Amino acid sequence: MGEDGAIRTYDRVLLKISGEALMGDQGYGLHPPTVQRIAREVAIVHEMGVEICMVIGGGNIFRGLQGSAQGMERTTADYMGMLATVMNALAMQSALEELKIHTRVISAITMNEVAEPYIRRRAVRHLEKKRVCIFAAGTGNPYFTTDTAATLRASEMNCQAIFKGTKVDGVYDKDPAKHADAKRYDKVSYDEVLQKRLGVMDASAIALARDNDLPIIVFSLDEPGGFRGILEGRGTCTWVGGA
């Protein structure tokens, strides 16, 4: 869905999901049936011919900021968070390969035994060969979130949009789980997101998306078939882009 409401065709997109999305109803860790359900959503879109890359957070296992808040040195905590994203990426790779989808985990931290190192041209070639690329370990640097990593990789891969799968069907002016009068935005600009602190992504990620004119589509990943529906112009979402 474009900013003018018209349906548009996407050839290459990045799907960003949080680590918490893989927990299911658990309070921690990975819930294999949930991982498999999300993998099926990705497979459906892959079968449409769309080239897909993914970034998955690590908050279901370890979050660097939380570790830092509890007294751990920030750089160490962030590296631990990056390793958590690699674990999630491997779980998603396994689920996708069970569905016969060729998948590559590409890590910003070198660990040749479990993932490929990030080389931009090689990653682009994987996408051209219709392989799903899961970018793990964030940017490889502390102090940067997986939101920023997602925007960076989407820009490097020349993706046409970032699709952010969440538990709600778009961007609201306040938490819809806590406020019955929460208002959902159909469209919102990058600057509004920053000024109103709408929590779509962190400020660095939004600024990078704005600088590269990269739209962000926020939708509910809990809705069966939701990813494909949004790509086809059906369903409810919020389009974040230029004014």
Side-chain angles (χ1 to χ4, degrees):
M1 192 80 71
E3 63 180 308
D4 56 359
I7 297 172
R8 60 161 298 173
T9 301
Y10 293 97
D11 300 310
R12 180 180 295 171
V13 301
L14 185 140
L15 174 63
K16 166 64 169 71
I17 60 177
S18 67
E20 287 88 348
L22 306 183
M23 293 191 308
D25 295 329
Q26 301 175 155
Y28 175 83
L30 288 157
H31 183 237
T34 300
V35 177
Q36 292 158 8
R37 178 183 63 79
I38 294 173
R40 286 193 294 271
E41 295 285 316
V42 174
I44 289 169
V45 171
H46 181 269
E47 288 163 7
M48 294 167 60
V50 179
E51 296 172 3
I52 304 170
C53 38
M54 298 179 69
V55 170
I56 307 172
N60 57 319
I61 298 171
F62 190 86
R63 188 180 294 278
L65 277 173
Q66 290 176 350
S68 179
Q70 293 171 8
M72 185 176 291
E73 195 267 325
R74 173 67 188 271
T75 302
T76 299
D78 279 354
Y79 278 121
M80 292 173 68
M82 290 181 218
L83 295 178
T85 71
V86 176
M87 295 172 69
N88 285 339
L90 291 172
M92 184 58 65
Q93 179 186 41
S94 177
L96 284 167
E97 289 181 341
E98 284 288 320
L99 299 172
K100 311 301 182 188
I101 305 294
H102 295 292
T103 308
R104 295 290 185 273
V105 172
I106 301 173
S107 173
I109 297 174
T110 304
M111 47 182 78
N112 292 331
E113 288 77 12
V114 297
E116 290 186 9
Y118 176 70
I119 299 171
R120 179 185 171 275
R121 288 179 181 273
R122 183 185 293 176
V124 169
R125 188 70 181 126
H126 285 320
L127 291 172
E128 290 171 348
K129 289 182 177 179
K130 306 303 179 185
R131 296 166 181 158
V132 173
C133 289
I134 307 176
F135 296 112
T139 65
N141 302 289
Y143 297 95
F144 289 92
T145 66
T146 50
D147 281 344
T148 303
T151 310
L152 175 64
R153 297 295 183 235
S155 300
E156 290 179 299
M157 295 297 108
N158 293 318
C159 291
Q160 294 157 317
I162 296 173
F163 284 76
K164 181 166 184 183
T166 68
K167 291 187 176 295
V168 292
D169 58 355
V171 180
Y172 286 78
D173 59 352
K174 47 193 165 185
D175 189 347
K178 298 177 181 176
H179 303 276
D181 61 341
K183 172 195 169 188
R184 187 182 63 80
Y185 295 91
D186 286 325
K187 296 185 292 184
V188 63
S189 71
Y190 303 115
D191 290 336
E192 278 185 279
V193 169
L194 292 171
Q195 290 164 5
K196 297 178 181 179
R197 300 187 178 186
L198 295 177
V200 177
M201 288 181 165
D202 65 70
S204 297
I206 295 295
L208 184 59
R210 179 186 61 193
D211 292 347
N212 290 281
D213 195 22
L214 182 64
I216 303 165
I217 293 93
V218 183
F219 71 104
S220 173
L221 200 61
D222 287 345
E223 185 72 27
F227 188 19
R228 175 175 181 166
I230 298 301
L231 277 162
E232 292 181 334
R234 297 180 283 105
T236 306
C237 64
T238 298
W239 190 92
V240 180

